[in-house]
Amino acid sequence: MPPIIWIDGTYHDRNDAKVSVFDHGLLYGDGVFEGIRVYNRRVFRLGQHIDRLYASAKGVWLEIPLAKPAMHRLVEEAVAKSGLDEAYIRLVVTRGVGDLGLDPRKCAKPSIICIVDTIQLWSPDRYEKGLTALTAATPISHRESLSPRIKSLNYLSHIMAKVEGIAAGVDEVIMLDSQGYVAEASGMNLFAVTNGTLRTPPAYAGILRGVTRDAVIELAREATYGVEEVPLNRYDLYTADEMFLTGTAAEIVAVTRLDGRSIGTGKPGPTTQQLAKRFKALATRGD
Ligand code: PXG
């Protein structure tokens, strides 16, 4: 019965699935994670998620005590055990138990956690009407501070941005990078559509390279849309015909109002709708 929770080799019930207060994942946000979807009992792009997890770990000098093929098997086994057709997987690797100092060498062994559960998405009316958003004053972290390409356990800047959105009564926030270019939403990548061309910030510039973002770029090219990975300003969003966000949890969702301006017609546009349909087909097909 879900949730299925696996910690360092043992399955646990929700009530006894616990980590130590000396785990540096808790004490310092020292660790990495992935959020992954299951459609029709098949894990969507597990290979890409596992590659990103190991790259994030490498980026923070953390060696995952499990080889990639074994991590693959662990996730597949946990999903099978859940019996869920549609699910959300949270894979977490923490630095492990250490002392109260921040030295990671004091942590004997990283902990691996795998949770399989269901997920609450935006309500259906948000997909129909699109989201409202504002530009947050909180920027994403500088690429040479904590690289936004690392999916780390430290999400405080994204949470602070989210709090700005909550305080202002909008659904989502758009975050800028430290140079003022448009970067991403609180847990989603962003696209602007102008004259049939999709534009999205370049992944190497220091944003999370989303698995959904990559899939949408492939689908858009298949559908003969132009796709450009270019630095974007807020002006490019304000003047776009359509704008949408992509993420594992949300899939594809339109933004129809940003900083008090209507984007395009103020309704989810045809390109967004078409790509959302194509994404659903791809995800349920499972490749
Ligand atoms: N940017 C950031 C900062 C993210 O955290 C994405 C983009 C989209 O990437 P994927 O690979 O999912 O297409 C993410 C996604 C949530 C949530 O509740 C989302 C993420 C992490 C934690 C929670 O929506 N990551």
Side-chain angles (χ1 to χ4, degrees):
M1 283 293 279
I4 295 296
I5 305 162
W6 184 98
I7 308 173
D8 296 328
T10 315
Y11 286 99
H12 298 266
D13 291 335
R14 178 189 279 274
N15 291 332
D16 65 13
K18 292 180 178 143
V19 293
S20 163
V21 292
F22 290 99
D23 191 310
H24 281 208
L26 175 70
L27 288 174
Y28 296 113
D30 189 352
V32 294
F33 78 102
E34 280 297 319
I36 311 169
R37 281 289 281 279
V38 175
Y39 296 96
N40 281 347
R41 271 188 244 179
R42 282 197 299 263
V43 185
F44 186 66
R45 301 205 163 171
L46 180 56
Q48 278 186 37
H49 282 287
I50 286 183
D51 285 347
R52 189 171 67 182
L53 181 74
Y54 282 71
S56 292
K58 186 99 191 256
V60 298
W61 197 65
L62 194 163
E63 203 171 319
I64 300 177
L66 198 64
K68 279 187 187 181
M71 186 68 85
H72 247 270
R73 287 195 296 275
L74 157 64
V75 171
E76 297 283 11
E77 182 192 285
V79 169
K81 209 174 160 73
S82 78
L84 292 169
D85 293 343
E86 313 287 317
Y88 183 79
I89 304 161
R90 178 59 56 98
L91 258 187
V92 186
V93 184
T94 75
R95 184 74 65 181
V97 172
D99 62 17
L100 291 176
L102 57 78
D103 188 343
R105 293 172 303 179
K106 300 278 174 62
C107 304
K109 197 178 174 206
S111 269
I112 302 173
I113 299 167
C114 178
I115 306 168
V116 183
D117 205 352
T118 51
I119 186 154
Q120 174 76 50
L121 302 173
W122 293 103
S123 62
D125 78 299
R126 285 294 181 277
Y127 288 93
E128 281 154 31
K129 291 191 193 126
L131 304 180
T132 58
L134 61 74
T135 310
T138 312
I140 62 165
S141 64
H142 189 279
R143 63 185 186 282
E144 296 304 342
S145 164
L146 173 62
S147 173
R149 295 165 79 174
I150 295 171
K151 207 161 160 60
S152 82
L153 291 183
N154 200 320
Y155 259 62
L156 273 177
S157 46
H158 289 77
I159 292 166
M160 290 305 100
K162 184 88 191 160
V163 166
E164 291 180 48
I166 293 166
V170 294
D171 299 313
E172 236 327 308
V173 286
I174 302 304
M175 297 177 75
L176 307 179
D177 66 17
S178 48
Q179 290 173 299
Y181 288 107
V182 166
E184 57 192 353
S186 67
M188 291 176 273
N189 292 116
L190 72 86
F191 287 81
V193 187
T194 308
N195 294 330
T197 295
L198 275 67
R199 294 203 177 81
T200 193
Y204 59 79
I207 55 163
L208 191 81
R209 181 173 163 187
V211 171
T212 322
R213 173 187 180 279
D214 276 6
V216 165
I217 290 174
E218 285 166 32
L219 290 171
R221 290 199 168 126
E222 266 169 43
T224 72
Y225 289 106
V227 181
E228 295 175 359
E229 294 186 58
V230 284
L232 295 174
N233 301 123
R234 285 196 295 168
Y235 167 83
D236 299 303
L237 305 182
Y238 295 155
T239 57
D241 300 326
E242 300 177 37
M243 178 181 164
F244 64 84
L245 308 177
T246 65
T248 294
E251 301 174 333
I252 297 175
V253 62
V255 174
T256 46
R257 204 166 172 81
L258 174 62
D259 297 336
R261 292 140 172 99
S262 282
I263 305 298
T265 61
K267 296 202 171 86
T271 307
T272 305
Q273 284 171 332
Q274 205 206 113
L275 289 169
K277 222 157 105 189
R278 283 174 181 261
F279 182 79
K280 261 276 183 263
L282 172 75
T284 43
R285 212 164 61 225
D287 46 66

